[in-house]
């Protein structure tokens, strides 16, 4: 639904053509019937108001029957009494100001609840519904995509608070991005929100009607990228009431920022700003009042978030302090008219302080205030100013400094929060303008411009909702009887009319090189505009004035001083003085300021009215290219008392903004209208997926004529309504489907119920399609994953086999190398053994002696020429060692010897004859041969390789120089 353009209309209960006739339209052709009709209407009103307990349940005023100012007022009062402040009024939202904080009404959870709801309209009326509808319209991308939220109402009705809630909603909902870092998201959101406290501090003030009244208009564009995420914002301002700097009406205050400085500054800052405690400033009236807006620390914190460093803040506050010092300057008239005025003695100190804060020479500052420069050809003449002129120049200096500082702040804010044009494609605009104003004492040029802006917005509402839609119903073939409404076009013609209007006459007087005269202007207004019924004069009034009948009521405007304010003269010498300032910020602000002489001739000079009118026209062009969403803020009582409802105050506002007429048209009409082509583009898939057999001919949306497109639309609607009857036969028993839709010549007109039904079926079809796509996609992913797994297994097997083969080959090469090295080493050892033990001269063959048969027994040992017992040690290798030098030992490891070796290994002592067997396995640590140095002993054992070692197993032995031979075990 979010992408459909909302409009209004009226239907009849005829088949396919729905246009009920409003009671106001039935003008009695017979005069005698009028009393009976009024009595019938009064009876219906009384019957409706009888059940007072149910009045607060009407969350949409289109459900009220009958719709009259009285019934609407009673419903609003009943809802206000139970603390329900938002009510739908057809295509608009009515917001009543409670004048007190309402807990849990604008929390983050409430925002998420409305944002995540499938149908936010089913929830209680809230400003977040309007915000979410605009946001979903952008998502729908149906022309016009860009949205505008117009918040209107009187001063003090709650427009600023409503705009603040809207910005907070979008900063919260549209900035919840997962594609960007959280720091970036918070920085964008924080900067967009922090622009509010700064602009309210410098542009809002406390007035008789509102403690936080906007003294300027602003249109904030929240920039969204293709994903509908907040990427930046921009601010456009309109007509700052800079006269408030130097002139505050009775019981009103200056801009908030001055009071914030006075109440929130530290002692050090006060010394720097030359504002000691107890100092009184003429331009700060009612400073004793305490308002929640006087929060200096919040403003400073917002400046920091927007990138304004401490030094730049010091410069800003020094300039503001200098402006306050200027307000304390007073001038005394000179006795000689040829001499300039003098400063009063007690105010000279303020001049010095102002010059130091603005960093300009005090003498030049005083000269610029009391002497003016006139140009006569190429020569310049200095002329002393009168006391009134000196005060005017002082006020002009303060106003131009503050106005330029405000514009510089707006530019800085835009540079800080505005995104690059390539990063955003759509926007949602929030319009917050000054409310309609009518003061009892004085209404001047500022009030005329403010009320003119409200007239333009009211005309936009009338043209968009009340007039254009009714005319369109007639053009589309609906039987239509017009609903009467208040059209303010004649009032706009009076103010901005061309060639003759109030603004044009003001500009003519301002551009003439002469002193303005209030009576002359009044005479011209009366002469040129007397034909228009919206302007009048009080001929008995002493003060020249004129009265304009606005849509919200009559306002008396004082003519005195209006022309001078429209001229807005800025003496060139004041601009030059500020350009010479040593303050970096002040010098930067006025470096590119054009010098405009007050005596400029011709019609090229831009006046306040011309500038404001042009900026307002550019705003209206933006509104005409966007989809508007109106929120009407209502002020329940003029004293801003919490939960106080004044019927007279509310009914006047309801009648002024046309709420009752809007409810009439919205209740009986078609809020939605869509071209056939766009309708088929969006809902054509319902016909393709329905059970009704489609035509064999394909629908060409682009090339199809209106007749053919209408047939396709009717067929689609028929299938949708049939499907609804099957799904819910018991639903809406008292309603007929024919009253939900009408097909015109080029468009289809829908009620909200029909639109919800279409959107519901479209959503179901899209859900089924999305489910099918997801199934196919998941199946594709699963198959792809399986194929990749199989491929990976094959690749892994091939790689593993290759690695194994490579490793085996490496092992084979390494083994071959080791074998070759071992064989080579073994051959070397063999050669060394042969060289040591197999020397030819050590093996001289002797005649074999015949041994005793006893000795021939296996395991025997013959010891010759030995008188002492000889110790024979047996080792597993079967080697024996004789102790005598001349003893020849011959030992062959046979059966008995092997037994001896085993016994030796078991550490068993045996004795047979003159020998004994001992073991050395445990005492000597190794199996070895030890030779006692009694003579040379030659030993040979079957040419076995001998390994040489330098180790001495028996460390306790004192014998050295032995050779230890390590042999392999053979037993």
């Amino acid at each position: 639904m979010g992408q459909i353009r909302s409009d209004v209309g009226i239907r009849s209960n005829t088949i396919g053509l729905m246009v009920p006739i409003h009671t106001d339209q039935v003008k009695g052709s017979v005069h005698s019937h009028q009393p009976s009709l009024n009595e019938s209407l009064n009876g219906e009103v009384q019957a409706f108001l009888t059940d007072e307990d149910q009045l607060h349940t009407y969350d949409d005023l289109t459900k009220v029957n009958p719709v009259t100012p009285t019934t609407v007022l009673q419903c609003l009062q009943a809802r206000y009494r139970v603390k329900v402040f938002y009510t739908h009024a057809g295509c608009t939202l009515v917001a009543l100001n409670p004048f007190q904080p309402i807990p849990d009404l604008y929390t983050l959870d409430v925002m998420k609840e409305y944002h995540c709801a499938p149908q936010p309209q089913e929830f209680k009326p809230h400003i977040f519904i309007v915000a979410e509808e605009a946001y979903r319209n952008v998502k729908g991308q149906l022309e016009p995509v860009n949205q505008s939220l117009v918040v209107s109402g009187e001063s003090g009705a709650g427009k600023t608070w409503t705009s603040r809630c809207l910005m907070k909603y979008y900063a919260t909902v549209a900035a919840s991005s997962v594609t960007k870092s959280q720091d970036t998201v918070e920085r964008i959101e924080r900067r967009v929100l922090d622009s509010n406290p700064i602009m309210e501090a410098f542009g809002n003030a406390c007035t008789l009607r509102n403690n936080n009244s906007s003294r300027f208009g602003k249109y904030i564009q929240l920039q969204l990228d293709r994903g509908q995420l907040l990427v930046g914002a921009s601010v456009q301002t309109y007509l700052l009431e800079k006269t408030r700097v130097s002139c505050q009406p009775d019981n009103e205050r200056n801009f908030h920022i001055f009071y914030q400085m006075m109440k929130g500054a530290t002692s050090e800052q006060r010394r720097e700003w030359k504002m000691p405690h107890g100092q009184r400033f003429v331009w700060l009236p009612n400073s004793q009042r305490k308002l929640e807006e006087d929060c200096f620390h919040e403003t400073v914190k917002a400046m920091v978030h927007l990138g304004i460093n401490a030094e730049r803040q010091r410069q800003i506050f020094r300039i503001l302090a200098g402006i306050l010092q200027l307000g304390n300057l007073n001038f005394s008239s000179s006795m000689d008219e040829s001499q300039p005025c003098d400063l009063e003695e007690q105010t000279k100190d303020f001049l010095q302080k102002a010059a130091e804060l603005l960093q300009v020479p005090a003498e030049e500052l005083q000269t610029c205030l009391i002497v003016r420069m006139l140009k006569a050809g190429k020569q310049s003449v200095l002329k002393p100013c009168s006391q009134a002129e000196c005060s005017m120049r002082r006020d002009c200096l303060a106003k131009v400094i503050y106005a330029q500082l405000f514009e510089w702040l707006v530019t800085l804010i835009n540079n800080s929060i505005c995104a690059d044009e390539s990063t955003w494609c759509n926007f949602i605009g929030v319009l917050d303008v000054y409310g309609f104003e009518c003061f009892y004492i004085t209404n001047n040029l500022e009030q005329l411009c403010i009320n003119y802006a409200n007239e333009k917005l009211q005309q936009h509402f009338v043209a968009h909702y009340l007039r254009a839609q009714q005319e369109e119903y007639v053009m589309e073939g609906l039987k239509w009887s017009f609903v009467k409404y208040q059209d303010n076009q004649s009032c706009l013609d009076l103010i901005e009319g061309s060639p003759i209007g109030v603004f044009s006459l003001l500009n003519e007087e301002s551009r003439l090189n002469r002193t303005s005269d209030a009576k002359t202007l009044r005479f011209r207004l009366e002469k040129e505009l007397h034909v228009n019924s919206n302007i009048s004069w009080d001929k008995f009034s002493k003060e020249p004035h004129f009265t304009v009948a606005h849509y919200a009521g009559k306002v008396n405007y004082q003519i005195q001083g209006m022309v001078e304010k429209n001229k807005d003269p800025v003496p060139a010498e004041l601009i030059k003085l500020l350009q010479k300032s040593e303050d970096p910020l002040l010098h930067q602000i006025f470096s590119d300021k054009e010098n405009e002489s007050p005596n400029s001739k011709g019609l090229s000079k831009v006046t306040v009215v011309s500038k404001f009118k042009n900026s307002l026209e550019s705003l209206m062009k933006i509104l005409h290219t966007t989809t508007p969403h109106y929120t009407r803020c209502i002020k329940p009582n003029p004293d801003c008392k919490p939960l106080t409802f004044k019927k007279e105050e509310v009914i006047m506002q309801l009648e002024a903004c046309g709420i009752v007429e809007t409810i009439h048209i919205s209740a009986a009409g078609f809020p939605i209208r869509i071209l056939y082509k766009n309708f088929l583009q969006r809902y054509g898939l319902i016909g393709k997926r329905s059970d009704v057999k489609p035509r064999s001919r394909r629908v060409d949306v682009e090339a199809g004529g209106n007749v053919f497109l209408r047939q396709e639309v009717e067929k689609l609607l028929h299938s949708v309504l049939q499907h609804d009857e099957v799904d819910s036969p018991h639903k809406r028993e008292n309603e007929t489907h024919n009253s939900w839709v009408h097909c015109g010549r080029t468009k289809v007109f829908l009620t909200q119920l029909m639109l919800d039904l279409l959107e519901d079926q479209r959503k179901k079809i899209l859900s089924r399609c999305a489910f099918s796509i997801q199934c196919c996609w998941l199946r594709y992913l699963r198959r792809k994953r399986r194929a990749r797994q199989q491929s990976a297994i094959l690749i892994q097997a091939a790689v593993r086999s290759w690695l194994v083969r490579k490793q085996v080959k490496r092992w084979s090469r390494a083994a071959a190398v080791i074998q070759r090295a071992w064989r080579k080493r073994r051959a070397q050892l063999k050669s060394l053994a042969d060289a040591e033990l197999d020397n030819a001269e050590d093996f001289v063959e002797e005649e074999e002696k015949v041994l005793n048969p006893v000795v021939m027994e296996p395991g025997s040992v013959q010891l010759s020429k030995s008188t002492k017992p000889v110790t024979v040690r047996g080792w597993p290798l079967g080697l024996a060692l004789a102790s005598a030098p001349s003893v020849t030992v011959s030992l062959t490891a046979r059966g008995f010897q092997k037994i001896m070796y085993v016994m030796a290994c078991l550490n068993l002592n045996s004795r047979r004859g003159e020998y004994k067997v001992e073991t050395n396995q445990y005492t000597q640590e190794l199996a070895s041969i030890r030779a006692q140095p009694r003579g040379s002993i030659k030993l040979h054992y079957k040419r076995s390789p001998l390994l040489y070692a330098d180790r001495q197993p028996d460390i306790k032995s004192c014998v050295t120089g032995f050779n230890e031979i390590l042999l392999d075990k053979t037993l």
Side-chain angles (χ1 to χ4, degrees), residues 229-281:
L229 299 177
L230 183 66
V231 295
S234 65
V235 182
Q236 302 176 23
T237 59
Y238 307 96
L239 189 66
L240 174 70
E241 189 189 17
K242 58 185 179 180
T243 56
R244 183 169 292 270
V245 175
S246 58
C247 180
Q248 304 81 35
D250 294 338
N251 298 322
E252 295 191 4
R253 300 204 317 176
N254 210 324
F255 292 103
H256 290 324
I257 185 62
F258 295 111
Y259 299 93
Q260 292 179 2
M261 292 172 58
M262 286 288 294
K263 297 178 181 181
T266 62
S267 300
E268 182 180 354
Q269 289 174 330
R270 282 181 171 273
R271 286 194 299 270
E272 181 183 0
W273 302 338
K274 305 183 186 306
M275 297 169 57
H277 289 282
Q279 177 70 57
R280 181 182 175 276
F281 293 98

Side-chain angles (χ1 to χ4, degrees), residues 28 84 156 280-281 290 296 338 345 370 396 525 588 599 614-615 685 765 865 878 904 935 944:
V84 179
R280 181 182 175 276
F281 293 98
K290 296 182 179 180
F296 181 64
S338 61
E345 190 65 27
I370 62 178
C396 180
L525 290 172
Q588 175 187 348
N599 295 327
N614 293 335
S615 62
L685 56 90
I765 292 175
K865 298 180 182 180
S944 299

Side-chain angles (χ1 to χ4, degrees), residues 302-499:
M303 287 182 173
V304 173
H305 289 163
L306 286 175
I308 305 177
N309 56 34
E311 180 60 28
R312 188 63 83 184
Q313 292 178 27
R314 290 181 63 252
Q315 296 170 4
I316 293 174
F317 295 133
R318 283 176 62 88
I319 293 174
L320 295 175
I323 292 176
L324 292 180
Q325 299 291 345
L326 288 175
N328 287 352
L329 298 181
N330 290 325
F331 302 92
S332 58
S333 301
S334 176
M335 301 299 295
D336 188 359
E337 294 183 357
S338 61
Q339 298 298 322
C341 298
D342 295 327
L343 279 173
E344 293 183 359
E345 190 65 27
Q346 63 271 21
T347 63
K348 291 183 178 180
D349 183 49
F350 296 117
L351 177 69
Q352 187 65 32
K353 291 180 179 179
E356 292 178 4
L357 291 170
L358 299 176
Q359 297 189 26
V360 295
E363 296 79 7
E364 292 187 23
L365 175 60
Q366 181 176 355
T367 302
C368 291
L369 294 179
I370 62 178
V371 177
R372 61 175 177 170
M373 181 182 298
L374 301 178
K375 286 187 176 181
K378 297 183 179 181
Q379 295 181 352
S380 298
V381 180
L382 297 179
K383 181 179 179 181
C385 297
S386 63
Q387 183 180 8
E389 290 175 341
C390 290
S391 299
M392 185 182 300
R393 292 171 75 88
R394 174 204 61 197
D395 296 348
C396 180
L397 178 62
K399 290 187 294 184
V400 72
I401 292 175
Y402 192 84
Q404 292 300 316
L405 178 63
F406 183 80
E407 290 184 8
W408 176 85
L409 273 174
V410 173
T411 303
L412 184 141
I413 291 173
N414 283 330
N415 293 336
S416 177
I417 66 178
C418 187
D420 188 76
E421 292 184 1
S422 61
T423 61
W424 65 276
C425 55
N426 300 117
F427 68 86
I428 297 178
V430 179
L431 179 61
D432 177 21
V433 296
Y434 7 59
F436 185 86
E437 290 185 347
C438 177
F439 297 108
Y440 297 104
I441 302 176
T442 303
N443 296 288
N444 214 294
L445 183 65
E446 293 81 8
Q447 281 68 44
L448 179 61
C449 292
I450 289 173
N451 295 338
Y452 166 66
N454 283 272
E455 288 282 356
K456 292 288 287 186
L457 294 177
Q458 177 65 17
Q459 178 60 25
H460 178 265
F461 174 78
V462 168
H464 189 270
Y465 285 109
L466 303 182
R467 180 176 63 243
Q469 305 316 310
Q470 298 191 78
E471 293 175 353
E472 185 176 18
Y473 291 150
V474 175
M475 293 175 57
E476 289 291 328
L478 279 76
K479 294 182 180 179
W480 184 261
S481 296
F482 277 87
V483 174
K484 289 187 177 181
Y485 57 88
Q486 181 181 357
D487 193 351
N488 63 334
Q489 185 60 48
S490 61
C491 183
L492 285 175
D493 293 339
L494 169 68
I495 298 175
E496 65 176 5
S498 179

Side-chain angles (χ1 to χ4, degrees), residues 445-637:
L445 183 65
E446 293 81 8
Q447 281 68 44
L448 179 61
C449 292
I450 289 173
N451 295 338
Y452 166 66
N454 283 272
E455 288 282 356
K456 292 288 287 186
L457 294 177
Q458 177 65 17
Q459 178 60 25
H460 178 265
F461 174 78
V462 168
H464 189 270
Y465 285 109
L466 303 182
R467 180 176 63 243
Q469 305 316 310
Q470 298 191 78
E471 293 175 353
E472 185 176 18
Y473 291 150
V474 175
M475 293 175 57
E476 289 291 328
L478 279 76
K479 294 182 180 179
W480 184 261
S481 296
F482 277 87
V483 174
K484 289 187 177 181
Y485 57 88
Q486 181 181 357
D487 193 351
N488 63 334
Q489 185 60 48
S490 61
C491 183
L492 285 175
D493 293 339
L494 169 68
I495 298 175
E496 65 176 5
S498 179
I500 301 299
V502 175
F503 280 175
S504 61
L505 293 176
L506 266 176
N507 289 334
E508 287 183 12
E509 287 292 325
S510 300
R511 288 165 180 162
L512 295 176
N513 188 18
R514 68 183 184 188
T515 304
S516 61
D517 184 11
K519 293 183 179 180
T520 302
L521 178 59
R522 181 189 179 281
F523 176 76
R524 292 199 62 190
L525 290 172
E526 187 174 0
K527 178 181 178 181
E528 300 292 344
L529 304 175
H530 68 280
V531 180
N532 196 306
S533 60
N534 291 86
I535 189 171
S536 59
W537 297 266
D538 184 3
K539 297 182 179 180
F540 301 99
S541 176
K542 297 180 180 179
E543 296 291 336
H545 75 282
F546 62 94
T547 302
V548 177
H550 292 282
Y551 76 96
K554 293 184 177 181
V555 180
N556 295 323
Y557 295 100
Q558 302 296 326
I559 300 179
Q560 187 67 39
M562 187 174 288
V563 176
E564 289 299 325
K565 288 185 177 182
N566 189 40
K567 290 180 180 179
D568 193 23
V570 181
E573 50 268 28
L574 293 181
I575 301 298
K576 292 180 180 179
L577 174 67
L578 295 174
Q579 289 175 344
K580 296 178 182 178
S581 173
E582 296 180 0
D583 184 273
L585 178 57
L586 202 59
H587 179 76
Q588 175 187 348
I589 291 176
F590 287 93
S591 59
D592 299 330
K593 176 75 175 174
E594 295 182 0
N595 297 332
E596 295 181 357
S597 173
N599 295 327
S600 298
K601 296 182 179 180
L603 300 179
S604 60
K605 185 177 180 181
V606 179
T607 61
V608 172
V609 165
S610 299
K611 184 178 180 180
F612 180 68
K613 182 181 177 181
N614 293 335
S615 62
L616 198 59
E617 287 178 353
S618 64
L619 171 64
M620 299 310 297
K621 289 180 180 179
I622 295 176
L623 293 181
H624 283 298
T625 59
T626 60
T627 301
H629 304 264
Y630 271 88
T631 300
R632 295 290 192 180
C633 296
I634 302 296
K635 189 176 182 180
N637 64 85

Side-chain angles (χ1 to χ4, degrees), residues 14 120 126 169 185 245 248 294-295 331 354 499 516 699 873 943:
T14 57
H126 201 289
Y169 181 84
V185 173
V245 175
Q248 304 81 35
D294 297 338
C295 189
F331 302 92
S516 61
V699 179
R873 298 176 181 176
R943 302 175 66 88

Side-chain angles (χ1 to χ4, degrees), residues 153-173:
E154 289 192 3
S155 178
K159 299 183 301 299
T160 300
W161 173 260
T162 302
S163 301
R164 195 186 305 171
C165 292
L166 290 171
M167 291 183 61
K168 188 175 181 180
Y169 181 84
Y170 289 123
T172 302
V173 170

Side-chain angles (χ1 to χ4, degrees), residues 630-902:
Y630 271 88
T631 300
R632 295 290 192 180
C633 296
I634 302 296
K635 189 176 182 180
N637 64 85
D639 303 323
C640 302
K641 293 181 180 180
L643 300 178
T644 303
F645 194 92
K646 297 290 186 181
K647 292 184 178 181
E648 298 80 6
E649 183 80 9
V650 175
I651 194 65
M652 184 173 59
Q653 298 175 61
L654 293 176
E655 292 177 348
C657 60
I659 288 292
V660 176
E661 291 83 357
T662 304
I663 297 171
H664 273 305
I665 297 178
S666 299
F670 298 96
I672 315 300
R673 52 180 184 145
I674 312 174
L675 291 172
Y676 287 140
K677 180 179 68 175
N678 296 337
F679 184 86
L680 289 176
Q681 285 177 346
R682 182 165 181 82
Y683 301 109
L685 56 90
I686 299 178
K688 296 177 182 179
R689 297 282 176 170
S690 63
D691 298 333
V692 181
K693 295 181 180 180
R695 296 186 180 181
S696 58
R697 182 179 177 183
R698 182 178 177 271
V699 179
D700 188 352
V701 176
E702 298 294 335
N706 287 331
V707 176
F708 179 70
L709 292 178
R710 176 173 178 173
Q711 294 175 357
E712 294 296 329
V713 170
E714 290 176 348
K715 174 191 168 186
L716 189 150
L717 292 172
H718 180 71
S719 64
V720 172
L721 294 176
Q722 276 187 342
H723 186 273
D724 182 62
E725 290 177 354
V726 172
D727 289 347
S728 55
H730 63 282
K731 194 175 181 181
R732 307 179 187 97
E733 296 177 355
N734 297 329
E735 299 184 30
T736 60
H737 287 153
N738 289 336
S739 62
W740 292 4
V741 62
H742 174 77
C743 293
R745 293 189 177 95
T746 61
K747 296 179 181 180
V748 56
F749 296 86
L750 309 171
T751 61
Q752 190 65 44
L753 289 174
M754 190 64 196
L755 181 66
D756 293 341
L757 181 61
L758 286 168
E759 287 293 327
D760 183 60
Q761 293 202 18
R762 181 176 181 270
K763 187 182 299 182
K764 290 180 180 178
I765 292 175
L766 290 178
S767 298
R768 291 198 297 268
C769 294
F771 180 74
S772 300
I773 294 173
Q774 290 173 353
C775 291
C776 295
W777 176 248
L778 291 175
R779 183 170 58 250
Y780 165 76
L781 290 179
R782 192 174 293 109
R783 291 176 177 176
K784 184 178 180 181
R785 190 183 304 114
R786 185 178 302 169
R788 293 180 66 180
Q789 288 177 351
Q790 294 175 353
S791 301
I793 291 173
L794 292 176
I795 294 172
Q796 290 172 358
V799 171
R800 288 194 186 102
S801 64
W802 176 77
L803 290 175
V804 170
R805 289 194 299 270
K806 183 178 179 181
Q807 187 68 22
V808 169
K809 290 180 180 179
R810 184 179 178 186
W811 288 346
S812 299
R813 290 194 299 268
V817 172
I818 293 172
Q819 289 173 357
R820 286 195 299 270
W822 167 245
R823 293 190 185 100
K824 183 178 180 180
R825 178 63 176 166
R826 189 172 62 182
Q828 291 176 354
L829 292 177
K830 181 178 180 182
S831 63
L832 290 175
D834 291 342
E836 180 181 357
L837 299 178
D838 297 341
N839 196 344
E841 58 186 18
D842 292 336
F843 294 92
V844 179
E845 294 184 0
E846 298 180 356
E847 292 182 1
E848 185 177 357
K849 298 181 179 181
V850 180
L851 297 177
N852 194 331
V854 178
V855 181
M856 292 294 292
E857 295 179 2
S860 63
V861 178
Q862 180 184 359
L863 303 175
S864 61
K865 298 180 182 180
S866 178
T867 60
K868 296 181 180 180
V870 177
T871 301
V872 179
R873 298 176 181 176
W875 292 275
L877 299 179
L879 297 180
L881 178 63
S883 61
S886 60
V887 175
T888 298
V889 180
S890 175
L891 184 61
T892 303
R894 290 190 176 96
F896 175 75
Q897 292 176 342
K898 289 185 178 182
I899 294 173
M900 295 300 294
Y901 299 151
V902 172

